[in-house]
Amino acid sequence: MLRAGLAGITLAALATTGGASADTNIALGKTVSIVATDPDPSAGFNNGTAGNLQNITNGVILPDATAYGSAAAVAQAIEWNGAGYVFQISLGGSYTLSGLIVDVDDNDAYQLQYYDASTSSWDALYTAPIVSVGFGLRTRPSVSDQSEEYILSSPVTTDAVRIYGGASDDNFCFDGSCGQGGYAVGQVELFGTPAVPEPSTWAMMLLGFAGLGFVGWRARRNVRVA
């Protein structure tokens, strides 16, 4: 009985570590919060979009070139001024992230970072570049295919991702680049799977299960002997 139980546990562990499940949008429905603001008194949300914070993980990508400040953008996106604003998506668990899509304003760059628990640091994940053709909210990495993912060169494991505005191309300046300073994010999609424990973790778990099985076996044996 004990050997059969341990064999079942071992097979389940191997199936979990070896089976490859399809990547899904792990950001869907996840909580979005503001973790930094801009000290400039003129900075803040535009067009009454402060209440749209949770929309950027609801899975809705606006039609290509939806204009900043339009009725559709105001209903879905967050629009703001101030490069100091940072928005965090908390995933509620550890995930292995393999790709992403962002729907953001065309004439600004946007920085994405992920939290690396092994180093307790925020590391670069992706820079959504300025788009010089067209206008309005446009997906990155591809403005022509809204379903095309940016595939990471190496998957990363994280439980949170941040996004904030970067350089712009119009009139104001930020980090040495001149630009508009008016940002918009309509959607952030993060693709991945729940993080699988390392083989050493599985080994420890199996040893723990074996120990529990042995204690139970000894207890049953002592009862029979008594």
Side-chain angles (χ1 to χ4, degrees):
M1 288 286 288
L2 177 60
R3 279 191 297 232
L6 289 176
I9 294 170
T10 303
L11 288 172
L14 290 174
T16 306
T17 55
S21 56
D23 289 358
T24 58
N25 179 13
I26 58 176
L28 188 63
K30 296 300 194 294
T31 300
V32 183
S33 58
I34 302 170
V35 294
T37 58
D38 196 298
D40 187 340
S42 65
F45 286 91
N46 297 329
N47 302 316
T49 60
N52 291 351
L53 211 57
Q54 307 311 316
N55 288 0
I56 69 169
T57 57
N58 67 4
V60 176
I61 293 181
L62 292 165
D64 183 41
T66 296
Y68 189 104
S70 66
V74 169
Q76 168 65 29
I78 51 174
E79 301 180 346
W80 77 96
N81 277 42
Y85 276 88
V86 179
F87 305 95
Q88 180 170 310
I89 301 170
S90 299
L91 300 175
S94 186
Y95 289 85
T96 299
L97 180 62
S98 61
L100 59 87
I101 299 171
V102 292
D103 187 28
V104 290
D105 197 26
D106 68 316
N107 57 351
D108 311 294
Y110 295 81
Q111 310 294 328
L112 283 85
Q113 297 177 321
Y114 73 97
Y115 183 70
D116 186 343
S118 67
T119 58
S120 300
S121 62
W122 288 92
D123 298 333
L125 181 65
Y126 175 63
T127 298
I130 292 170
V131 175
S132 58
V133 178
F135 66 93
L137 277 82
R138 312 203 71 187
T139 52
R140 318 286 205 281
S142 173
V143 296
S144 59
D145 182 356
Q146 292 189 313
S147 65
E148 182 178 327
E149 293 180 38
Y150 171 76
I151 304 300
L152 303 180
S153 57
S154 297
V156 299
T157 299
T158 188
D159 64 358
V161 169
R162 289 179 173 179
I163 184 169
Y164 57 93
S168 302
D169 68 355
D170 288 333
N171 303 311
F172 302 97
C173 292
F174 169 73
D175 266 1
S177 297
C178 292
Q180 178 192 42
Y183 304 103
V185 174
Q187 194 65 205
V188 178
E189 295 188 346
L190 306 171
F191 296 94
T193 56
V196 175
E198 294 294 325
S200 59
T201 304
W202 280 117
M204 292 297 293
M205 291 172 63
L206 290 172
L207 285 173
F209 286 134
L212 289 172
F214 179 73
V215 169
W217 175 78
R218 284 292 300 269
R220 289 193 300 273
R221 183 173 182 274
N222 289 339
V223 168
R224 285 199 298 268
V225 170

